[in-house]
Amino acid sequence: MNSKTILNSLAAKIIIFILVINFVLTSFYQNGFYFDIEFFDTFYIESTFSNSLIYFSINILFLIAVIISWSRLITKYKLYEGSKKSVYLISVLGVAIFPDLVWRIDLVMTSFLIALLLNSFLGIYNQQNINKRVFWGAVSCGLSTLLFAPSFYFFIAFIVGISMIRPFNLKMYLVGFLGLLIPIFYAYSFGYVFEYKFTPLHILGANLIAIDLNQFNVNHWTTFVLLFFIGGFAYSLLKRAKLVVHTRNQISFIAILFVFSFLLFLLNDHGVFLILLFPASFFISNMYHQFQKKWVLDIVLILFLIMVPLGKHFF
């Protein structure tokens, strides 16, 4: 990426850093003393300052791991030729936009497991026998389903992605379903033996396909952010045609993750923004790197940085 762009400038980094500190501390002040965490209706954490700080710190560490994992994966497999710092900045800015999501440990952990899923998929091209990769990718989906039931749909995305790059193989699909079911089977067994109420598993029934029409009531600020995401997504897909076949297929899988996350965001839970953020950060960074008239994007970014604090307070 051109070092003269606003995104890569020291001023932008300082502004983003200030915004992150401001919003995260505000979120901690507003939620840190009033959160009640109950794991599976069994393990309860009392709302105290020390517990809040520990809980908050663990979530932040996992978010940092997710951001670093996405950045390293897309550069390792040469899906993005720009600076990893750009991906870091856009991801961090996304977290700053909705800092309350930092308190959703189910979504933070799911984002981490989706990064492991991406690692499994991208590594398939380097393997003759992909069953091991398929298995561990499916295990990631099974674990994420236990934490956040709608993430089951990412297993469907995983199967669709594999179908694009490998011919039909019944054994491969059976290995995938086995990997998905093993964590769920152990969770049910554990809950049955010790009489634990494993709440996320209850959602796997009728509520898994439930659509909450109220989710369509997004505000103007959220709509602006989503349009920004869609712009980066569309531009990157248009440029995808010039890439080699295996790179196109890998980017197509990230596009599938983006589409599934976007639909879940609109139809199921606005908290899915935390999952949507990472594929969106990849597409926006890619657009910023490839776009010829970077001064246009610089203006958009400046307006965006100005609108972040205004949008959070007035929209």
Side-chain angles (χ1 to χ4, degrees):
M1 178 176 291
N2 188 341
S3 60
K4 295 182 179 180
T5 59
I6 295 295
L7 184 60
N8 210 30
S9 68
L10 179 62
K13 294 175 183 177
I14 293 175
I15 293 173
I16 292 174
F17 179 76
I18 293 174
L19 289 173
V20 171
I21 296 299
N22 175 46
F23 291 142
V24 170
L25 290 181
T26 300
S27 174
F28 186 83
Y29 177 78
Q30 293 175 346
N31 301 310
F33 302 100
Y34 304 103
F35 85 105
D36 294 316
I37 302 299
E38 192 171 357
F39 293 102
F40 316 136
D41 293 340
T42 304
F43 304 104
Y44 180 76
I45 295 180
E46 184 182 357
S47 178
T48 64
F49 177 79
S50 59
N51 287 339
S52 300
L53 186 60
I54 293 172
Y55 178 78
F56 182 79
S57 301
I58 291 173
N59 285 2
I60 289 294
L61 288 175
F62 269 105
L63 278 176
I64 292 173
V66 175
I67 293 172
I68 293 175
S69 297
W70 269 87
S71 301
R72 287 185 174 178
L73 285 173
I74 62 178
T75 52
K76 175 183 177 181
Y77 291 97
K78 299 180 180 179
L79 306 181
Y80 172 65
E81 297 179 354
S83 171
K84 287 190 290 187
K85 294 179 181 179
S86 301
V87 184
Y88 293 154
L89 286 174
I90 293 174
S91 300
V92 169
L93 180 58
V95 174
I97 293 172
F98 297 104
D100 292 347
L101 296 179
V102 174
W103 297 94
R104 291 283 302 271
I105 191 170
D106 55 339
L107 293 172
V108 172
M109 293 298 296
T110 297
S111 299
F112 179 75
L113 290 167
I114 296 300
L116 297 181
L117 171 67
L118 178 66
N119 179 57
S120 296
F121 180 85
L122 294 181
I124 287 177
Y125 272 102
N126 300 326
Q127 303 289 329
Q128 291 294 330
N129 185 357
I130 67 171
N131 289 335
K132 183 178 179 180
R133 288 273 181 176
V134 172
F135 176 79
W136 287 113
V139 168
S140 299
C141 290
L143 292 172
S144 64
T145 300
L146 294 176
L147 295 168
F148 182 65
S151 61
F152 167 78
Y153 293 113
F154 294 114
F155 174 72
I156 300 177
F158 186 50
I159 295 299
V160 171
I162 294 174
S163 301
M164 293 189 308
I165 60 176
R166 291 296 174 104
F168 177 81
N169 185 323
L170 181 60
K171 179 181 178 181
M172 179 182 65
Y173 290 113
L174 291 176
V175 168
F177 279 104
L178 180 64
L180 173 73
L181 294 176
I182 282 179
I184 299 175
F185 171 77
Y186 275 108
Y188 266 115
S189 301
F190 185 82
Y192 177 78
V193 171
F194 295 97
E195 298 182 351
Y196 286 163
K197 295 179 181 180
F198 210 13
T199 308
L201 294 176
H202 301 166
I203 308 176
L204 289 176
N207 290 335
L208 182 61
I209 58 174
I211 295 177
D212 185 1
L213 295 179
N214 291 327
Q215 294 294 320
F216 283 110
N217 296 326
V218 295
N219 56 34
H220 296 85
W221 170 238
T222 305
T223 302
F224 175 78
V225 174
L226 292 179
L227 289 175
F228 200 63
F229 282 1
I230 294 173
F233 173 71
Y235 184 87
S236 296
L237 287 190
L238 290 174
K239 292 293 184 179
R240 165 184 166 275
K242 299 180 180 179
L243 302 173
V244 296
V245 174
H246 78 274
T247 303
R248 287 206 307 265
N249 289 335
Q250 289 173 324
I251 291 178
S252 294
F253 178 67
I254 299 179
I256 293 172
L257 292 179
F258 177 91
V259 171
F260 274 64
S261 302
F262 190 83
L263 292 176
L264 285 175
F265 175 86
L266 291 179
L267 301 177
N268 191 283
D269 187 343
H270 280 176
V272 180
F273 176 88
L274 197 59
I275 302 172
L276 171 65
L277 170 64
F278 300 105
S281 297
F282 161 70
F283 287 121
I284 293 173
S285 300
N286 218 16
M287 176 182 69
Y288 205 88
H289 175 70
Q290 296 178 356
F291 202 75
Q292 296 298 320
K293 297 181 179 179
K294 288 185 170 53
W295 63 270
V296 176
L297 293 180
D298 285 340
I299 293 175
V300 173
L301 180 62
I302 292 172
L303 292 175
F304 187 80
L305 292 174
I306 293 173
M307 290 183 65
V308 166
L310 295 178
K312 294 295 291 183
H313 292 288
F314 297 107
F315 296 98

